[in-house]
Amino acid sequence: MNFDDLKNDWQADQSAEPNISEDILETKQAKTPIDILRKKMKHEFKYQIVALILMAAFPYLFGFSPQMKLVYLAFYAITCGFTAHYFFKFYRFYKNSCDMTMDSRKSILWFFYEMKLNIELYKALTYIIAFIWVGFIAVYLLIEKTGAVNKVLAKLSPTYILLNCFITIVIIGLITELWAWYYYGKYLARVKKVVDELDYE
């Protein structure tokens, strides 16, 4: 074979475009939001660890009485228990998602449904922790600020107090739902779009 033949073969190989199926192209598009979700999960874990460490210092920073420190530590221990359970599930999902292959529809479906479940767990944990600390604030006010609380309660009707409790619950719910959507949901929706397109094909 002479040099001209080699040159022609080389140019033919370069001009030939690889035949990539549409399914593979669609599957690769899901990688970007999945990578973003993994990165956000990693950051979330770090933020929550830092928050728990900072919370341990609150009784000393705010000068709680010895009695109140014990109450605070009880609420803090409950918070750590719920958070540890959630961290374990979230970490296990994160590790499994790192090992999955991104070239199959089955893997993308698994990630989508597992992530959806973990977002629901995340929201449930947020509700639990929020209500634990609303409970702590109530206990703090009743123990440390009894006189001031009694004066305020004497001026308020039970209907007003119940209405404020209801509004507080609604606000906590809205913040939780919006944050979960902003931080995770919109990226999960992009994965869902790819899953739907693969189903359609």
Side-chain angles (χ1 to χ4, degrees):
M1 186 179 280
N2 61 30
F3 180 77
D4 288 332
D5 289 335
L6 286 171
K7 186 178 177 183
N8 289 336
D9 288 342
W10 177 266
Q11 286 175 346
D13 287 342
Q14 283 185 329
S15 63
E17 292 185 12
N19 186 16
I20 300 172
S21 73
E22 288 296 317
D23 285 354
I24 291 173
L25 289 173
E26 291 293 331
T27 302
K28 292 299 178 187
Q29 288 178 11
K31 188 166 184 171
T32 303
I34 287 173
D35 286 342
I36 292 169
L37 285 166
R38 281 191 192 129
K39 191 183 290 185
K40 287 187 168 289
M41 288 164 67
K42 202 172 181 179
H43 290 162
E44 181 80 19
F45 179 77
K46 290 176 184 175
Y47 298 150
Q48 290 198 17
I49 291 292
V50 170
L52 285 174
I53 291 168
L54 290 175
M55 284 173 67
F58 279 9
Y60 308 98
L61 293 173
F62 294 106
F64 288 172
S65 65
Q67 182 186 13
M68 207 59 224
K69 280 181 186 174
L70 288 174
V71 173
Y72 181 89
L73 289 175
F75 278 86
Y76 180 72
I78 293 167
T79 302
C80 288
F82 279 111
T83 306
H85 176 71
Y86 169 75
F87 277 173
F88 174 73
K89 287 183 174 292
F90 212 51
Y91 177 76
R92 193 169 61 181
F93 165 64
Y94 176 81
K95 291 302 283 182
N96 289 338
S97 73
C98 289
D99 295 336
M100 73 181 197
T101 58
M102 289 308 304
D103 58 351
S104 73
R105 178 182 171 277
K106 187 177 178 182
S107 293
I108 295 173
L109 274 173
W110 173 85
F111 182 88
F112 173 74
Y113 287 112
E114 286 294 316
M115 188 68 206
K116 197 171 180 179
L117 177 63
N118 275 276
I119 290 172
E120 291 305 314
L121 287 172
Y122 174 78
K123 290 193 282 191
L125 176 72
T126 306
Y127 290 131
I128 290 166
I129 290 175
F131 292 123
I132 286 170
W133 290 103
V134 166
F136 171 77
I137 291 168
V139 170
Y140 174 78
L141 291 173
L142 291 171
I143 292 175
E144 296 286 303
K145 311 287 182 185
T146 307
V149 169
N150 286 339
K151 286 178 185 176
V152 171
L153 289 177
K155 295 177 182 178
L156 300 176
S157 70
T159 306
Y160 180 80
I161 293 167
L162 288 173
L163 187 62
N164 275 285
C165 290
F166 177 75
I167 291 169
T168 301
I169 290 168
V170 170
I171 290 170
I172 290 170
L174 283 173
I175 291 170
T176 301
E177 294 293 329
L178 289 172
W179 177 251
W181 168 254
Y182 170 77
Y183 204 70
Y184 292 115
K186 60 183 179 180
Y187 301 104
L188 191 62
R190 285 166 59 186
V191 178
K192 178 68 164 68
K193 187 179 176 185
V194 174
V195 169
D196 289 344
E197 286 171 3
L198 290 172
D199 283 341
Y200 179 75
E201 290 177 5

